[in-house]
Amino acid sequence: MRFTSEQRLDDGVLERTFTLDGIPGVLWTPDPAPTHAPLVLLGQPGDLTRMYPRLAARARRVVADGYAAATLELPGCGDRPRSAASDAARADLRRAIQAGEPVPDEVVDRLVLPLVDLAVPEWRALVDAAVELPGIGGPAGLAGGNISIAVRLALVEPRIAAAVLFAGSRVPRAVLREARRLTVPLLMLLQWDDEGNDRQEALDLFDAFGSTEKTLHANMGGHTGVPEFEGDDGNRFFARHLR
Amino acid sequence: MRFTSEQRLDDGVLERTFTLDGIPGVLWTPDPAPTHAPLVLLGQPGDLTRMYPRLAARARRVVADGYAAATLELPGCGDRPRSAASDAARADLRRAIQAGEPVPDEVVDRLVLPLVDLAVPEWRALVDAAVELPGIGGPAGLAGGNISIAVRLALVEPRIAAAVLFAGSRVPRAVLREARRLTVPLLMLLQWDDEGNDRQEALDLFDAFGSTEKTLHANMGGHTGVPEFEGDDGNRFFARHLR
């Protein structure tokens, strides 16, 4: 992890940008440095520059409760090289949605599975690098981002002890099968009228998770309308499982 | 409201039993008396003696956050006169469940509608009497109990400003129609594997509520397995809407 910039935010948060094997990311830690801050990975849909304001707001809230927060640019997003196959799958997805047709499973597979396969090892490397830093330690939490990446990451990375999932995108059948094997405590957020998501599919996914402690929070509104208070609820969920 | 007993619980809570038009109930208030405690009505499935331990635990938590809490025996429960028609409807319900058959709508109507018609005016009288007491004032919140009573009460009683609903019993079609006209903020709790309740019917009810601010919290487990932390979540919901 090579730090590329550092600034102290006015509310006791040290924000550092970094690259990790050439991939840009951001790390937020309590300032002054804590003795032991559990790490919370902040998922996002890609393009850190565009997402920065929302991520920084979320990070401040997480750090205020004594955690470290980190995020990493997704494959094919921001300045990272795009994939022609992903672009083609995304175009097929848009075509189906615009035509009002159901999105074929194979399109979801082509769009999401390569992203999951590439991203998950990168985020595991992020955990490796972050817990090497003084003051940061496991267990780690995972909050938001593409739900398929989150499910795979929570399944294969044993340091993830709890996950807040956002049911906001289509899930490949292979990931649905992986969801059944998840056992960590989960809090899944669902926007009831998410324009780009299928509500029943989200409820089926919630039902599928193997975790014995899982909670669904459904709120009114569209994809980007998650209420402010869910940030606090997420922090309390982490307080129950990461402390 | 005629007080029949009074005891100081060891955590700053004054518990008083009372009768209101002959109906027994319990009132919990902060001790010493507050200047202005919003009232939270604690719903329950009937039989205050049987429900007392759970109600007192919930009341302590509510009062600890500066509210007054009150509950009232339901019609046909505890020492109140039973209704032959309700007993017959309950027997029909049990027969259908034991036979593994769907419970006919008309059985749900016969079981629930008379209870709602009788209970709602009694609980409105409870609000009338409670807000007359020094230190208790509106707006009021409503927490739990039979969801059909709660929906009707929240609809017709303008002092109810927010309601935590428990999706744990069958809802007559007439109450489902009333649910569409509800506008107060709602937090609905659903036990995902509630043995006596239909999950899809509960999700349809949540969808039907007219309120623009409504949140669903679904947790694993059966009817009586609502996790402890939902009590805190309910308090924070009331803090957003009753303060």
Side-chain angles (χ1 to χ4, degrees), chain A residues 192 199-200 203 206-207 211-220 229-230 233 236 240, chain B residues 192 199-200 203 206-207 211-220 229-230 233 236 240:
Chain A
W192 200 247
R199 187 193 299 162
Q200 190 57 51
L203 294 169
F206 178 71
D207 194 47
S211 307
T212 52
E213 177 163 351
K214 53 181 176 180
T215 300
L216 171 72
H217 284 190
N219 287 287
M220 289 307 94
F229 57 74
E230 288 294 352
D233 283 13
R236 281 186 292 267
R240 289 203 300 278
Chain B
W192 200 247
R199 187 194 300 163
Q200 190 56 52
L203 293 170
F206 177 70
D207 193 48
S211 307
T212 52
E213 177 163 351
K214 53 181 175 180
T215 300
L216 171 71
H217 284 190
N219 288 287
M220 289 306 95
F229 57 75
E230 288 295 351
D233 283 12
R236 283 186 292 267
R240 290 203 300 276

Side-chain angles (χ1 to χ4, degrees), chain A residues 144-222:
Chain A
N146 178 287
I147 194 166
S148 297
I149 297 176
V151 166
R152 171 82 59 84
L153 185 56
L155 184 64
V156 300
E157 174 49 66
R159 287 166 294 188
I160 304 283
V164 177
L165 304 173
F166 178 52
S169 54
R170 296 292 307 272
V171 170
R173 294 154 296 177
V175 175
L176 187 62
R177 287 191 294 273
E178 292 174 32
R180 297 186 194 284
R181 291 159 46 209
L182 258 187
T183 56
V184 295
L186 301 174
L187 170 59
M188 186 172 102
L189 306 184
L190 169 64
Q191 287 299 99
W192 200 247
D193 302 305
D194 191 336
E195 52 285 4
N197 199 24
D198 185 273
R199 187 193 299 162
Q200 190 57 51
E201 193 175 295
L203 294 169
D204 291 344
L205 176 63
F206 178 71
D207 194 47
F209 291 129
S211 307
T212 52
E213 177 163 351
K214 53 181 176 180
T215 300
L216 171 72
H217 284 190
N219 287 287
M220 289 307 94

